[in-house]
Amino acid sequence: MKKLILTAALSASFLPACLAGPIDGVVKDKKTGETLIGSVVQVKGRQDNMTTTGLDGFFTLKDLPDQGAVTIIVNYIGYKPKRQRLLII
């Protein structure tokens, strides 16, 4: 199985008090650095909060809690799922 690199950056945004700004990132093959188009990116435990990567491997997840830990799961055919835990403060 191949491995994924998940590059995520928190970006500031002004949303209602119960939500944090979006998380932006790029999904790439760890070995080759090639972006993985069409990867499914979701927040663990929230089937309603998922997206797919575009032609550049880029994704944006919105509607996150305003604080606490969030686990992002990335799936791509032929690769092992990648989990990345993020702390939102």
Side-chain angles (χ1 to χ4, degrees), residues 9-47:
L10 296 176
S11 63
S13 179
F14 295 100
L15 294 173
C18 63
L19 302 175
I23 293 176
D24 301 320
V26 175
V27 179
K28 297 181 178 183
D29 180 285
K30 187 174 184 176
K31 191 172 186 178
T32 67
E34 180 181 349
T35 56
L36 299 177
I37 301 165
S39 298
V40 176
V41 183
Q42 76 178 79
V43 176
K44 181 180 178 185
R46 294 206 38 210
Q47 296 298 324

Side-chain angles (χ1 to χ4, degrees), residues 3-6 72-75 80-84:
K3 295 184 180 178
L4 299 175
I5 291 179
L6 173 62
I72 305 300
I73 303 170
V74 180
N75 287 292
K80 246 171 94 170
K82 171 70 176 177
R83 294 172 185 259
Q84 179 71 45

